[in-house]
Amino acid sequence: MEKKLQDQIAIVTGASSGIGAGCARALAGAGATVVINYPAARSKEKVSKVADGIVAEGGKAIIYQADVSKEDEVVKMFTDVTAQFGTVDILVNNAGLQRDAKLVDMTIDQWNEVIGINLTGQFLCAREAIKEFLRRGVDETKSKAAGKIICMSSVHEVIPWAGHVNYAASKGGVMMMMKTIAQEYAPHKIRVNSIAPGAIATPINHEAWDTPEDLQKLLKLVPQKRIGQVEDIGKVAVFLASDDSDYINGTTIFVDGGMTLYPGFEDNG
Ligand code: BGC
């Protein structure tokens, strides 16, 4: 049976672990050739294991090191991937990190690092992806769209988050960046959407769930009473990358077990 993303080329940024690795596996399972982007700080051996796992399952993947906050590295990544595979069909703008501190203690480096990776990084990758989508146009043999971008946002694009002003500002920024790019390029049959994960079990938030006490506290914020898994996000990434979502553009899909439903009001507030 033809797979939904057969022969499409996908770049997944920050795909060496967590949600990015989950999306890379899911897209590869749907037939895409996946470029697993990772930063210099990650060990190449660990990243290779993600690619090896995909190949062992019959998928196609390569690894590519680039810092998404650096313009020259992002431009080179898109040039190299396009040279190797002919084009790029899907971008999962996933790379992101937290550098938490109360506002009064937050250093300019903590602010800049988070905005640099989470927001500027998504801007740079989206810009290069859109240039390639416009150059190629629609290839009906692969998709009805000229290209698809999936921005990894967070419930914190709408939930304010004390102690994380840099992160919440970056995700609020991602929301308006995504919608603006979607509006600008929808006439070219380019689709841009976001996924807003809630609490997903990954290294970024392990201190929020790795003891039974912490997990119980966290689950008070999740009406569905379970922590999310990266597979919950991967499935939605495949949906947003495929023609199943061909009429969806400029939308955020919350994948959060109800975290954005004001769980404090569950028992009458
Ligand atoms: C953050 C996690 C957090 C979750 C829910 C995510 O965007 O990266 O650390 O657990 O939002 O608050």
Side-chain angles (χ1 to χ4, degrees), residues 98 153-156 161 167 171 197-200 204-205 208 218 259:
Q98 290 181 216
S153 184
S154 163
V155 290
H156 299 295
W161 203 13
Y167 186 85
K171 296 301 185 180
I200 310 297
I204 206 173
N205 60 359
L218 176 65
M259 194 177 231

Side-chain angles (χ1 to χ4, degrees), residues 119-130:
L119 185 56
T120 308
Q122 290 211 20
F123 154 71
L124 289 170
C125 291
R127 190 187 69 187
E128 296 312 302
I130 299 265

Side-chain angles (χ1 to χ4, degrees), residues 125-137:
C125 291
R127 190 187 69 187
E128 296 312 302
I130 299 265
K131 283 186 201 164
E132 173 56 17
F133 298 164
L134 292 174
R135 183 200 66 77
R136 191 198 60 242

Side-chain angles (χ1 to χ4, degrees), residues 101-198:
K102 291 279 186 205
L103 174 75
V104 290
D105 300 321
M106 190 171 284
T107 64
I108 188 68
D109 287 346
Q110 288 172 318
W111 173 267
N112 282 339
E113 189 180 4
V114 170
I115 298 295
I117 302 283
N118 297 16
L119 185 56
T120 308
Q122 290 211 20
F123 154 71
L124 289 170
C125 291
R127 190 187 69 187
E128 296 312 302
I130 299 265
K131 283 186 201 164
E132 173 56 17
F133 298 164
L134 292 174
R135 183 200 66 77
R136 191 198 60 242
V138 177
D139 175 352
E140 294 271 1
T141 63
K142 293 202 272 184
S143 175
K144 291 179 183 160
K148 284 90 46 159
I149 297 179
I150 297 149
C151 297
M152 204 53 68
S153 184
S154 163
V155 290
H156 299 295
E157 74 170 41
V158 293
I159 303 179
W161 203 13
H164 308 261
V165 65
N166 46 3
Y167 186 85
S170 74
K171 296 301 185 180
V174 164
M175 175 177 63
M176 284 310 289
M177 182 196 74
M178 176 277 290
K179 286 177 188 285
T180 301
I181 300 172
Q183 188 191 56
E184 202 166 307
Y185 293 98
H188 298 269
K189 299 200 173 167
I190 290 168
R191 296 193 298 108
V192 189
N193 293 287
S194 287
I195 298 174

Side-chain angles (χ1 to χ4, degrees), residues 4-62:
K4 294 199 171 190
L5 305 179
Q6 197 68 46
D7 298 329
Q8 299 193 44
I9 312 302
I11 295 181
V12 184
T13 65
S16 54
S17 70
I19 288 175
C23 287
R25 284 191 290 269
L27 295 181
T33 297
V34 179
V35 177
I36 298 173
N37 159 263
Y38 66 103
R42 279 292 148 93
S43 99
K44 204 174 165 184
E45 287 67 50
K46 277 201 183 139
V47 189
S48 296
K49 283 199 184 131
V50 180
D52 293 347
I54 288 174
V55 172
E57 297 282 310
K60 299 190 197 95
I62 65 154

